[in-house]
Amino acid sequence: MRKLLPVETFEAIKPRLKEFKLTFYLLNRNRLTMIAVITVFLLVLIAILAPLIVPYKEHVISGTNPQEKLLPPSQEHLFGTDELGRDIFSRVIYGTRISLETALAAVGLALLIGVPLGAIAGATGGVVDEVIMRITDIFLSFPPLLLAILIAAFLGPSLTNAMLAIAVAWWPWYTRLIRGQAVSMRERQFVRAARAIGTPHFKIVFGHIVPNTIAPVIVQASMDLGGVILTAASLSFLGLGAQPPTPEWGLMVSTSRNYFLNAWWYSIFPGLAIFITVLVFNLVGDGLREVLDPRTRKY
Amino acid sequence: MTELLKIENLKVNFRTFEGVTNVLNLESLSVAKGESFGLVGESGAGKTTLAYTILKLLPIPPAFVESGVINFEGENLLKKSEGEMQKIRGKKVSMIFQDPMSTLNPVFTTGQQITRVLQHNQGLHKAQAKKRAVELMNLVKLPDPENILSKYPHELSGGQRQRIIIALAFSCGAQFLIADEPTRNLDVTIQAGVLQLIAELIRETNVTVLFIGNNLELVSLICDRVGILHRGQLVELGSIKEVAKHPAHPYTLTLLRAIPKEKREKIDLTQIALKAEERLAEKGCRYAGRCLKKEKICLEEEPALKHIGGTHYIACHL
Amino acid sequence: MNETILSVKDLVKYFPVRGGVFTKAQWVKAVDGVNFELEKGRVLGLVGESGCGKTTLVNVLLKLEEPTSGKVFFEGTDLFNTHGQQLRRLRKNIQIVFQDPFWSLNPRWLIRNIIGEPIQVHLKPPLSQLVKMVEDLLELVGLPREAVYQYPHEFSGGQRQRIAIARALALRPKLVVLDEPTSSIDALSQAQILSLLMDLKNKMDLTYILVSHDLRVVHYMADEIAVMYLGKFVEYGDAEAIFQKPAHPYTQALFKSAPSISVESVNDLFILPGNVPSAINPPSGCRFHTRCPQVMEICSQKEPPLVKIDRDRLAACHLLN
């Protein structure tokens, strides 16, 4: 968004480094948030380094190994093995990558659609506002999971389609959030000042309004990352998302249902992975809410 | 006269990203029963912080009280628990805030809000509370009380809202009233009426007042005695006559000189310090950085309040 | 006689209050027939209570709102009948300094970008030149050149107001609207800002429209004054004459209700009864008659015209005819 203004020089970056340090200071004030932030970093690291971490790379996709099926956790197989004798630990680690990718892509896409639409609607008002908001209303009148299921079913079951379905179900929430903020920004004096100067409308929307309304959206989006992982898992669980043999957590939980009684580890570990990821993203979102609030930033 | 409020060695700090800053440092300040005491200073001088400290409404963190005693009727408010404070706030000490719109809840009618406070604080029945609410509207000279009470805050004008706030502040017979720039956002024509109302209510109820303002002229209309606050410290203290007519501290002089008076009479900028120093100096007078008469001692030693006649005190080496 | 920089003719701005299914649409008469001419190099003080239409009038002059009817001429060019290149050139000449130093600067932008915005929009210079221009502007308003790479929140209220002034002056405008320029800053900063504004006016040959409810500020700055009540001028003319002897009862009330060091007791303040009536259904006849201390019978029936009452000024009151 800052690209609309001149290219940065080093002096211009320095004050931003200070802002960054302040953000860290504020995050650090709350221990729980800091733990969650560190966990998120760990998750990202795990996702990136997955090929190096996993002990049984070949087990991730295929590697059928009937002799070792449904073994309980042991030294060789930390989380035990599944019905095809694959190492669950390896699959859960790889699942981190898939879940984070899906979540980031889905939320990113939803933001990409939702934020500009909301900002334009709120900043422009009139007919434009009316049309954009009535369209979002149509989307909002479906429960997001149901809508995602409908779209995924329509597009056909695959992980990419599940991701698209989630993005389509999610963007209206961001549109509505941004739009409300943008309406109140429209009357802010710096926006009026920009209009008085003659700044073009699109520069006002993306240079003034979006940067000042994005904070609650970032908070919402980081919490939604957890929600999206859960939804993706649900879609996979219902057979509308990832297809076997993809090591997706939801899919793993779904398959484990048949073996639940004699192989508890099969469902517990992928389930735990979902639980922890969703939890830390929510905690980070909560922490960001505090950090991004200008009232706390003042001190 | 007996002292109602006595503050000693009060130090309030803010912990920030850049370190700890002191925002309030009061050696000694007392307000006698029945007195109206005014506090004047620029924004950031610590006026509102003092009000919040007395009511224990400071946001902690980032603020914290380093040391000090706030005696109210002989009891230290700083030692009170939250539960005990709730019995004091609104009942013994009440406050009029700057911004009436954010003090009133937008989703309830003014009548609902007033009767709820009355029911809660004074244990009145609903019918009694309603009757009392009407009396209060008459007290603050709002015509057609029933109509006003049935309205939501946004349906009222700024002046009417501020009168409602005043009514709430006087509703429970508090002995001590803190008024934090109650006319800040009002037009002059409305301000005049609100000021007269406050003055009249003070006279009638004999309440003790801490009146916070950002200019001496306004405060002098309400108060008997005034303190000038500069960066958390009292620099001048005395009766209105003493301070307004014979200001002694260089800061007070500057404040009075800064008011534009006649047409194009050049405001003498040489008499007005050009910038506020960003950080507090380690030692010396806090005004030294902006003071035009500063001498060597000002940079080294912090001046204490000294008596200069009558009830007039200043904190200055000169 | 100086040349006229701004002339406003029969300016009217109504806002619709949308009616429901069963109710008729109504109009808020924010500005209802305003006429004035401003000479180059003069300062016009615009005075009135909140809700009197000052802000709307300013918004129209800045082209933030379209007028319902009437015309505004800037140096002879019709502001609302100009397009394209010519309009852009016209717009550069009229700038504004807002009241609230907290919200008038985008909190997420560097000072370079805030002051540089108008330059960027109109001149599109290369970066190094832009930075130099911003630094020069900072110096002009008495701030250190190093401030370019700081954020607004690192400055005090008075300093932020200087930044806002620098931004307004970036394009070398001819007319600057000062919308309550000192109402949210402290007395000391106010004094500094006021004298800065007067210095800049002389240095850059500016014309000001000063909107303020602080009469002392208006007295200090203005050459002429317009007192507004419910969308109309009730008194308009030479500042000194009006301050010496306000003619309209509303102007008198405004002057007598402000506290000053010479007012001894709170009871000496003059109190104007009631509130500003709704601008949807303004009172009949003279709009001030519902609160006027000297109301007569004719006041509620016939609207007094704004006429010359002495050499220096106009007023709209039946008492003065």
Side-chain angles (χ1 to χ4, degrees):
Chain A
M1 273 147 255
R2 292 191 199 273
K3 274 273 135 35
L4 296 167
L5 287 150
V7 191
E8 300 304 342
T9 54
F10 179 65
E11 287 99 320
I13 296 167
K14 261 197 288 185
R16 260 167 228 158
L17 281 178
K18 200 176 149 207
E19 288 286 292
F20 186 75
K21 273 202 218 142
L22 174 64
T23 306
F24 183 79
Y25 165 82
L26 288 169
L27 272 178
N28 205 10
R29 245 182 10 191
N30 187 336
R31 194 170 302 158
L32 201 58
T33 311
M34 206 59 216
I35 292 172
V37 169
I38 292 168
T39 317
V40 166
F41 272 114
L42 278 177
L43 285 175
V44 173
L45 214 61
I46 289 171
I48 295 169
L49 300 177
L52 302 176
I53 301 172
V54 298
Y56 303 94
K57 216 166 160 185
E58 67 284 2
H59 284 196
V60 170
I61 301 297
S62 55
T64 327
N65 206 351
Q67 294 90 22
E68 295 193 338
K69 67 177 190 183
L70 296 173
L71 293 178
S74 66
Q75 289 234 289
E76 289 92 72
H77 303 284
L78 284 175
F79 293 175
T81 61
D82 66 7
E83 83 282 9
L84 296 173
R86 294 174 296 192
D87 179 39
I88 293 177
F89 178 70
S90 303
R91 286 175 60 80
V92 167
I93 293 292
Y94 252 91
T96 314
R97 180 180 262 196
I98 290 170
S99 291
L100 289 190
E101 268 173 13
T102 318
L104 283 176
V107 170
L109 194 61
L111 284 174
L112 224 53
I113 307 170
V115 169
L117 278 180
I120 290 168
T124 315
V127 183
V128 177
D129 185 20
E130 203 68 20
V131 169
I132 294 176
M133 292 326 288
R134 291 303 80 79
I135 293 172
T136 44
D137 280 349
I138 294 171
F139 279 90
L140 286 171
S141 55
F142 292 96
L145 181 62
L146 187 66
L147 188 60
I149 290 172
L150 283 175
I151 298 165
F154 177 74
L155 293 172
S158 89
L159 193 58
T160 320
N161 288 346
M163 188 207 79
L164 283 174
I166 293 169
V168 170
W170 237 271
W171 68 267
W173 299 90
Y174 299 133
T175 306
R176 203 169 62 165
L177 195 59
I178 278 270
R179 189 250 174 200
Q181 301 274 325
V183 166
S184 73
M185 274 300 141
R186 196 165 59 186
E187 292 309 313
R188 289 279 185 233
Q189 290 190 336
F190 62 83
V191 174
R192 284 175 65 204
R195 282 168 63 204
I197 283 163
T199 309
H201 188 60
F202 88 94
K203 280 196 183 177
I204 292 180
V205 173
F206 294 103
H208 287 291
I209 291 182
V210 170
N212 283 290
T213 49
I214 205 78
V217 177
I218 290 175
V219 171
Q220 189 59 44
S222 57
M223 290 183 154
D224 284 352
L225 281 174
V228 165
I229 288 173
L230 207 59
T231 313
S234 311
L235 287 179
S236 299
F237 185 90
L238 295 171
L240 291 166
Q243 295 303 307
T246 319
E248 206 276 341
W249 296 337
L251 185 62
M252 288 163 78
V253 176
S254 167
T255 337
S256 73
R257 273 180 308 168
N258 305 327
Y259 313 97
F260 183 68
L261 287 177
N262 38 20
W264 56 267
W265 57 89
Y266 192 0
S267 46
I268 287 294
F269 289 110
L272 212 56
I274 296 175
F275 170 72
I276 290 171
T277 315
V278 173
L279 182 70
V280 294
F281 277 118
N282 273 304
L283 287 174
V284 168
D286 250 350
L288 280 178
R289 189 200 307 280
E290 197 179 316
V291 170
L292 294 172
D293 183 346
R295 271 170 304 179
T296 50
R297 276 195 100 86
K298 247 169 60 184
Y299 303 120
Chain B
M1 267 204 275
T2 49
E3 280 159 353
L4 187 68
L5 183 81
K6 188 165 172 60
I7 296 172
E8 270 168 357
N9 289 322
L10 182 67
K11 279 202 175 95
V12 181
N13 299 335
F14 270 63
R15 188 171 281 129
T16 69
F17 176 47
E18 269 132 9
V20 174
T21 10
N22 178 276
V23 287
L24 204 54
N25 183 6
L26 293 179
E27 237 168 81
S28 153
L29 173 68
S30 52
V31 181
K33 209 168 167 55
E35 181 183 38
S36 301
F37 183 78
L39 205 54
V40 176
E42 292 172 270
S43 53
K47 296 169 294 180
T48 305
T49 306
L50 177 62
Y52 284 165
T53 313
I54 294 171
L55 286 170
K56 284 194 97 169
L57 290 171
L58 268 184
I60 298 176
F64 66 99
V65 179
E66 187 188 310
S67 65
V69 180
I70 299 180
N71 271 329
F72 179 75
E73 294 185 311
E75 287 178 70
N76 187 356
L77 291 182
L78 293 175
K79 291 264 157 65
K80 298 264 183 215
S81 68
E82 182 56 31
E84 288 171 311
M85 277 316 289
Q86 278 179 9
K87 290 200 187 101
I88 291 172
R89 283 184 216 131
K91 280 154 236 165
K92 289 186 165 172
V93 182
S94 57
M95 179 153 175
I96 303 174
F97 293 89
Q98 265 178 30
D99 178 5
M101 199 56 201
S102 54
T103 314
L104 291 168
N105 188 335
V107 301
F108 295 109
T109 63
T110 52
Q112 284 169 325
Q113 298 187 50
I114 294 174
T115 47
R116 187 163 313 156
V117 170
L118 291 169
Q119 282 172 285
H120 182 258
N121 282 358
Q122 298 201 308
L124 297 178
H125 295 299
K126 204 160 187 176
Q128 286 174 306
K130 272 187 182 156
K131 201 165 142 254
R132 177 92 177 103
V134 173
E135 289 169 17
L136 282 170
M137 291 301 100
N138 290 327
L139 183 74
V140 294
K141 306 208 168 64
L142 279 170
D144 199 1
E146 272 89 5
N147 182 25
I148 296 262
L149 288 171
S150 68
K151 289 202 163 153
Y152 289 90
H154 70 265
E155 297 176 287
L156 301 172
S157 71
Q160 288 172 321
R161 280 198 290 265
Q162 197 54 284
R163 279 169 196 262
I164 304 265
I165 297 293
I166 293 169
L168 276 172
F170 280 92
S171 66
C172 302
Q175 308 148 29
F176 187 58
L177 173 72
I178 301 173
D180 186 6
E181 302 194 42
T183 58
R184 189 187 169 108
N185 297 316
L186 300 178
D187 281 310
V188 276
T189 47
I190 308 294
Q191 169 175 288
V194 171
L195 284 177
Q196 277 190 8
L197 174 70
I198 292 176
E200 193 181 316
L201 288 174
I202 290 173
R203 209 173 332 113
E204 276 170 15
T205 57
N206 204 24
V207 69
T208 310
V209 181
L210 175 65
F211 191 93
I212 295 171
N214 63 0
N215 76 66
L216 195 54
E217 295 147 37
L218 201 144
V219 169
S220 70
L221 292 176
I222 300 284
C223 300
D224 316 321
R225 215 152 59 89
V226 66
I228 310 286
L229 204 61
H230 174 257
R231 303 199 91 172
Q233 289 178 322
L234 276 177
V235 293
E236 184 155 2
L237 182 69
S239 70
I240 286 293
K241 265 214 180 78
E242 287 163 339
V243 177
K245 297 270 152 65
H246 310 285
H249 195 280
Y251 178 64
T252 317
L253 283 165
T254 315
L255 271 183
L256 286 171
R257 233 178 243 136
I259 300 164
K261 284 168 208 86
E262 291 304 311
K263 161 97 185 156
R264 296 289 158 77
E265 173 212 313
K266 192 105 172 143
I267 301 175
D268 191 357
L269 279 184
T270 55
Q271 297 299 312
I272 295 171
L274 272 173
K275 68 171 199 207
E277 302 241 316
E278 281 301 306
R279 301 205 50 145
L280 282 181
E282 293 288 315
K283 55 181 184 177
C285 173
R286 289 187 182 185
Y287 186 60
R290 308 165 76 185
C291 187
L292 295 153
K293 295 178 186 156
K294 65 167 174 271
E295 284 173 15
K296 202 159 160 262
I297 185 171
C298 302
L299 297 172
E300 278 155 16
E301 226 175 283
E302 203 169 306
L305 271 182
K306 63 179 183 209
H307 192 222
I308 59 161
T311 54
H312 202 170
Y313 296 82
I314 60 166
C316 183
H317 289 301
L318 304 167
Chain C
M1 180 91 180
N2 249 321
E3 59 177 309
T4 303
I5 188 164
L6 187 75
S7 107
V8 173
K9 294 219 160 74
D10 299 317
L11 192 69
V12 174
K13 176 68 191 175
Y14 290 174
F15 290 103
V17 183
R18 241 200 327 205
V21 181
F22 300 109
T23 47
K24 228 171 42 185
Q26 285 178 309
W27 298 92
V28 175
K29 296 169 179 159
V31 175
D32 204 0
V34 162
N35 283 292
F36 70 91
E37 288 200 344
L38 186 57
E39 280 170 26
K40 208 165 166 29
R42 304 268 287 175
V43 180
L44 170 69
L46 206 53
V47 181
E49 289 169 281
S50 43
C52 73
K54 291 178 293 188
T55 311
T56 309
L57 178 56
V58 165
N59 279 348
V60 173
L61 296 183
L62 288 164
K63 258 195 96 122
L64 293 175
E65 305 273 5
E66 292 277 321
T68 307
S69 71
K71 285 198 185 312
V72 179
F73 294 96
F74 181 82
E75 292 188 325
T77 320
D78 187 343
L79 201 58
F80 293 94
N81 201 6
T82 311
H83 308 279
Q85 247 346 82
Q86 209 187 350
L87 174 66
R88 281 167 65 89
R89 237 175 294 136
L90 199 62
R91 242 193 156 141
K92 268 163 57 175
N93 286 318
I94 313 176
Q95 292 299 327
I96 182 164
V97 176
F98 286 105
Q99 160 184 15
D100 181 349
F102 191 76
W103 276 115
S104 62
L105 311 176
N106 187 337
R108 296 190 187 272
W109 279 18
L110 291 171
I111 302 307
R112 178 195 68 193
N113 299 347
I114 290 171
I115 299 181
E117 187 183 16
I119 305 175
Q120 191 66 18
V121 168
H122 287 273
L123 308 174
K124 302 191 176 67
L127 180 64
S128 57
Q129 205 183 328
L130 177 86
V131 171
K132 167 126 198 333
M133 289 166 95
V134 172
E135 284 175 344
D136 290 345
L137 284 162
L138 283 169
E139 209 165 76
L140 183 72
V141 296
L143 287 173
R145 296 178 84 93
E146 293 77 56
V148 246
Y149 294 117
Q150 284 182 302
Y151 283 104
H153 65 78
E154 298 175 61
F155 297 93
S156 70
Q159 290 172 319
R160 296 168 67 102
Q161 206 55 297
R162 285 170 193 265
I163 295 168
I165 292 170
R167 174 178 58 190
L169 297 182
L171 297 170
R172 308 242 146 208
K174 292 176 179 159
L175 175 67
V176 179
V177 177
L178 307 167
D179 187 0
E180 306 267 9
T182 59
S183 74
S184 12
I185 55 184
D186 294 310
L188 293 189
S189 316
Q190 165 169 308
Q192 293 168 10
I193 295 288
L194 292 182
S195 50
L196 172 71
L197 285 170
M198 291 318 285
D199 280 352
L200 290 170
K201 175 181 169 301
N202 296 332
K203 219 185 276 179
M204 300 180 69
D205 204 11
L206 299 168
T207 308
Y208 287 150
I209 294 179
L210 168 71
V211 179
S212 181
H213 65 250
D214 188 336
L215 293 164
R216 288 174 311 197
V217 171
V218 175
H219 197 180
Y220 179 77
M221 300 260 302
D223 299 307
E224 46 202 271
I225 294 180
V227 182
M228 250 184 125
Y229 188 77
L230 281 179
K232 282 182 187 281
F233 282 4
V234 294
E235 187 161 355
Y236 169 48
D238 182 68
E240 216 38 52
I242 293 178
F243 268 101
Q244 289 301 326
K245 205 169 165 287
H248 196 281
Y250 179 64
T251 318
Q252 291 168 0
L254 269 185
F255 284 18
K256 281 192 284 184
S257 57
S260 82
I261 216 82
S262 56
V263 178
E264 289 283 329
S265 148
V266 68
N267 294 323
D268 295 343
L269 293 180
F270 180 79
I271 299 206
L272 197 57
N275 290 301
V276 183
S278 151
I280 297 176
N281 284 312
S284 62
C286 172
R287 292 185 176 189
F288 186 55
H289 85 259
T290 51
R291 300 167 80 193
C292 185
Q294 302 170 57
V295 62
M296 303 179 295
E297 218 186 302
I298 184 172
C299 297
S300 57
Q301 293 152 10
K302 196 164 162 276
E303 186 166 352
L306 186 68
V307 290
K308 209 163 167 117
I309 55 158
D310 57 33
R311 200 165 53 84
D312 300 314
R313 61 181 143 170
L314 308 166
C317 180
H318 288 304
L319 280 171
L320 301 167
N321 295 336

